[in-house]
Amino acid sequence: MGNVVIKRVYEAAASDDGYRVLVDRIWPRGIKKDDAELDLWLKEAGPSDELRKQFGHVAKKFPAFAKAYRKELDGSEALEKLLSLASDKERLCLLYGAKDEEHNQAVVLRSVIGEQLGTGGA
């Protein structure tokens, strides 16, 4: 099993990114689909519109967001797909559009995947 990394979709693709999956429900502003160099856009992996709006990318709301998002992910097909990819690929790169690199859904996803696969999110 490979490792799971996270990266802003606005950063240039790198040869060591591995399998690149956008985990935002909404397409990131200002990026053409061809320029994103994605292997997969897994919209369903992003938080629900309601949860995303509640969070609003406010750092102090992140703990509550992470808890609610984990509930949304529990047993979801999107999480199962990501777990499968993380097991099958040398490296899985979760891409997100948020400016905040510490408080976003990809951080939570990486942690959940690591917990599920016993790698601690690394």
Side-chain angles (χ1 to χ4, degrees):
M1 184 204 69
N3 61 349
V4 179
V5 297
I6 61 175
K7 184 175 186 177
R8 286 193 77 217
V9 71
Y10 297 99
E11 294 177 46
S15 59
D16 65 348
D17 281 349
Y19 194 83
R20 293 170 50 91
V21 180
L22 178 63
V23 294
D24 279 353
R25 200 167 283 266
I26 298 171
W27 188 262
R29 287 187 184 130
I31 293 208
K32 293 179 184 171
K33 291 191 175 165
D34 291 342
D35 293 343
E37 297 186 51
L38 298 180
D39 292 298
L40 176 65
W41 179 18
L42 192 59
K43 297 177 202 177
E44 304 79 23
S48 66
D49 289 339
E50 180 183 351
L51 183 55
R52 185 177 47 79
K53 288 173 185 172
Q54 285 174 357
F55 173 41
H57 293 286
V58 176
K60 69 181 182 183
K61 293 182 178 180
F62 186 71
F65 164 78
K67 184 176 180 180
Y69 184 40
R70 282 173 172 268
K71 280 186 180 178
E72 284 187 356
L73 290 169
D74 190 34
S76 71
E77 287 183 28
L79 179 58
E80 293 304 316
K81 175 73 173 172
L82 290 171
L83 290 168
S84 176
L85 288 169
S87 295
D88 293 345
K89 303 293 180 186
E90 185 69 28
R91 179 175 245 195
L92 178 62
C93 184
L94 303 176
L95 300 167
Y96 62 94
K99 291 179 183 173
D100 188 331
E101 297 181 14
E102 295 177 30
H103 306 98
N104 63 66
Q105 76 273 13
V107 171
V108 178
L109 273 170
R110 180 178 58 185
S111 179
V112 169
I113 291 168
E115 290 163 13
Q116 297 270 334
L117 298 179
T119 61

